[in-house]
């Protein structure tokens, strides 16, 4: 019996630590980006990394707009041009956030948080278009014009997180304001997300 006392003591110490010392959270985020989210918790603050697909709710109009922006930047000065279509790789994004987390008085398990950080997003397009040159009436068709877009910038985030009392799970929702520095300086985008994390 004496040989089991240290083991029982260790188990008794581990149970409250499992409930209270959940310093990491790993889960899924739906929004922009949609994918994996990892959060490290400290007393009153934390650090969050999210990686996944961006522009998930943009639709095809987003790519038509990107073509217009790309074409204007080329300064081709064709007599006429017409967008025919596109192919696109999966757009990927990475968010890094430092967060300040505070309890909401009277709401057990519910915190609000705010913070700042940066984002990196990348995607490749393949445009099909045609144009008329100044010296000819015929259309000239261009297929598979490859364009790589890389966005890099700063952002601010604010959100809510609820930690279940009897389960190592938390739910969260947040909003982010992203300001590009590369490749369209000072272009602002709003982003939203919600998800769940397993705490350990």
């Amino acid at each position: 019996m004496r040989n089991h006392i240290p083991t029982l003591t260790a188990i008794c110490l581990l149970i409250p630590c499992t409930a209270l010392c959940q310093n990491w959270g790993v889960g899924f985020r739906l929004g922009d980006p949609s994918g994996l989210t990892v959060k490290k918790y400290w007393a009153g603050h934390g650090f969050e990394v999210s990686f996944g697909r961006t522009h998930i709710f943009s639709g095809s109009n987003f790519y038509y707009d990107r073509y217009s922006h790309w074409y204007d930047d080329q300064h081709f000065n064709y007599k006429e041009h017409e967008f025919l279509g596109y192919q696109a790789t999966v757009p990927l994004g990475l968010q890094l956030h430092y967060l300040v987390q505070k309890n909401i008085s009277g709401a057990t398990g519910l915190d609000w948080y705010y913070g700042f950080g940066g984002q990196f997003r990348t995607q490749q397009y393949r445009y099909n278009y045609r144009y008329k040159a100044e010296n000819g009436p015929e259309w000239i068709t261009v297929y598979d014009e490859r364009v790589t877009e890389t966005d890099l910038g700063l952002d601010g985030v604010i959100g809510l997180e609820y930690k279940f009392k009897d389960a190592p799970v938390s739910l969260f929702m947040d909003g982010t304001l992203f300001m590009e520095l590369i490749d369209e300086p000072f272009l602002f985008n709003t982003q939203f997300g919600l998800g769940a994390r397993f705490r350990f």
Side-chain angles (χ1 to χ4, degrees), residues 51-172:
F51 176 77
R53 177 172 181 163
T54 66
H55 309 308
I56 195 168
F57 303 113
S58 298
S60 60
N61 287 336
F62 173 81
Y63 299 101
Y64 288 93
D65 292 342
R66 300 314 298 165
Y67 167 77
S68 297
H69 172 72
W70 170 80
Y71 178 85
D72 291 342
D73 283 347
Q74 307 311 305
H75 304 292
F76 286 138
N77 296 319
Y78 295 137
K79 184 167 60 175
E80 293 182 55
H81 72 98
E82 182 180 7
F83 180 51
L84 300 177
Y86 73 92
Q87 299 83 41
T89 62
V90 175
L92 297 176
L94 175 69
Q95 292 181 341
L96 305 173
H97 290 145
Y98 172 78
L99 303 172
V100 177
Q101 194 145 343
K102 298 180 179 292
N103 297 324
I104 295 180
S105 179
T108 304
L110 185 63
D111 293 349
W112 75 282
Y113 58 88
Y114 65 92
F116 59 89
Q119 287 192 39
F120 172 81
R121 305 191 299 185
T122 186
Q123 185 178 19
Q124 187 178 84
Y125 315 118
R126 297 182 181 183
Y127 293 135
N128 302 326
Y129 67 98
R130 63 180 186 172
Y131 67 91
K132 288 183 179 181
E134 288 293 338
N135 58 352
E138 300 297 326
W139 285 104
I140 299 172
T141 303
V142 178
Y143 294 103
D144 202 30
E145 179 72 53
R146 298 190 183 192
V147 180
T148 299
E149 179 175 344
T150 299
D151 300 331
L152 181 65
L154 304 175
D155 64 23
V157 59
I158 186 169
L160 293 171
E161 184 169 17
Y162 177 74
K163 169 66 176 65
F164 288 94
K165 180 180 179 181
D166 299 321
V169 175
S170 62
L171 304 177
F172 68 91

Side-chain angles (χ1 to χ4, degrees), residues 15-30:
I15 291 173
C17 186
T18 302
L20 299 176
C21 302
Q22 295 163 1
N23 296 326
W24 287 92
V26 177
F28 182 81
R29 172 188 172 88
L30 178 64

